[in-house]
Amino acid sequence: MSKGQVLVLGSNATQLGLRGGGTATVGQYLNETAVPALALLDAGYDIVLATPNGAKPHIDAASVSVDHFGGDETAFQRAKYFFASHPAMNDVRTLKSVVDEGLDGFAGVFVPGGHAPIVDLMVDRDAGTILRHFHAAAKPTALLCHGPVVVVAALEDASAFRKALEEGDDAWAADLARDWIYAGYRMTVFSASEEKIAEEQVLKGELYFDMEKALRSAGGNVSVTDKNFASNVVVDRELITGQNPASDRAMADALIEALDRAAA
């Protein structure tokens, strides 16, 4: 018997604009999607995947590597098979349909990382509605790597906030972030120093803003590890954030613990 349903917010983005022109091909990270999802299923929870347009998310080619699974070939192959074949990864809903049908039946929500969420989920109005619901109900809300930047979708005008970040207008960003529901929350996200490495080695270009600054500009109390790509999870009230790909299992464990505690 299922312990409950967890809503997974996926991205449909495949191209990310870079400073100075050009784009990088992006998607969700395989391990950041599959490791927490499999952990939830193994713990007795069902998952429902929803995206802005209802299409299955694209997996970033940079993440399709055994290196993101600690060199464990069995875990790597299980993740690939899961994402390709499991009904939960293929019966994809639209965010709007999930909102319209009601969110009360979900025990928690999870947002995987990869650069893709910066493009669509960060400014998606339905994602904002979902986050505000889980915040108001104090239900576990977990986000991983670049996923935590999606919490700005809960702002009244997230699109304008992102534009302010892109233009480097700190005063405008601060004004748009007034009354943000996560103001003062402790949280983590893919660090600025980790992003520099990703820009050089993966994206081959510079982003318009880094995720640390985005969340601090909104009012988040952001902390990151001194060591790049070391696992780091921060829990504050209902919000659970993981810093980077290496935080996949630790973030999943924290989410499952919070879900079990809420159910009890």
Side-chain angles (χ1 to χ4, degrees):
M1 183 175 178
S2 172
K3 291 182 179 179
Q5 286 189 322
V6 175
L7 179 61
V8 179
L9 304 191
S11 170
N12 293 126
T14 59
Q15 296 295 314
L16 173 64
L18 301 172
R19 187 181 295 278
T23 62
T25 299
V26 297
Q28 291 182 190
Y29 262 42
L30 176 63
N31 68 299
E32 296 175 22
T33 303
V35 170
L38 282 165
L40 286 164
L41 291 170
D42 290 343
Y45 291 92
D46 292 329
I47 56 176
V48 174
L49 175 60
T51 65
N53 68 18
K56 186 175 180 176
H58 172 74
I59 291 295
D60 195 316
S63 73
V64 185
S65 168
V66 71
D67 293 343
H68 289 294
F69 296 83
D72 186 335
E73 184 67 27
T74 299
F76 176 45
Q77 295 299 332
R78 185 187 184 206
K80 288 198 296 182
Y81 182 79
F82 168 74
F83 186 78
S85 305
H86 197 284
M89 293 290 99
N90 290 283
D91 297 338
V92 188
R93 303 277 304 278
T94 63
L95 297 180
K96 185 178 188 304
S97 72
V98 171
V99 170
D100 288 347
E101 288 187 14
L103 299 165
D104 290 338
F106 291 101
V109 62
F110 163 56
V111 184
H115 286 90
I118 304 170
V119 181
D120 54 4
L121 292 179
M122 180 181 177
V123 295
D124 189 279
R125 289 190 175 275
D126 291 317
T129 298
I130 290 165
L131 289 167
R132 288 190 293 271
H133 166 87
F134 282 88
H135 169 76
K139 292 192 286 190
T141 302
L143 311 98
L144 181 59
C145 196
H146 289 82
V149 80
V150 176
V151 292
V152 306
L155 292 170
E156 184 176 347
D157 193 344
S159 293
F161 179 78
R162 186 171 68 183
K163 185 174 178 61
L165 293 175
E166 292 174 346
E167 295 180 358
D169 192 332
D170 295 342
W172 185 26
D175 184 60
L176 289 164
R178 285 182 301 173
D179 303 319
W180 188 44
I181 59 175
Y182 299 110
Y185 270 63
R186 292 182 296 107
M187 59 186 72
T188 191
V189 70
F190 199 66
S191 72
S193 59
E194 289 168 337
E195 197 70 82
K196 288 296 182 186
I197 296 170
E199 288 174 334
E200 293 171 2
Q201 299 184 7
V202 180
L203 301 176
K204 309 298 183 183
E206 183 183 354
L207 297 182
Y208 282 95
F209 56 87
D210 67 68
M211 304 309 110
E212 281 190 67
K213 181 175 182 179
L215 292 182
R216 289 196 179 103
S217 297
N221 179 6
V222 182
S223 62
V224 297
T225 59
D226 293 332
K227 181 181 178 182
N228 287 333
F229 303 107
S231 177
N232 180 38
V233 173
V234 174
V235 180
D236 189 352
R237 288 158 277 186
E238 83 277 7
L239 191 66
I240 303 162
T241 49
Q243 179 175 325
N244 48 37
S247 308
D248 53 4
R249 183 67 214 203
M251 189 231 68
D253 289 344
L255 172 57
I256 291 165
E257 180 182 346
L259 290 166
D260 289 346
R261 187 169 58 247

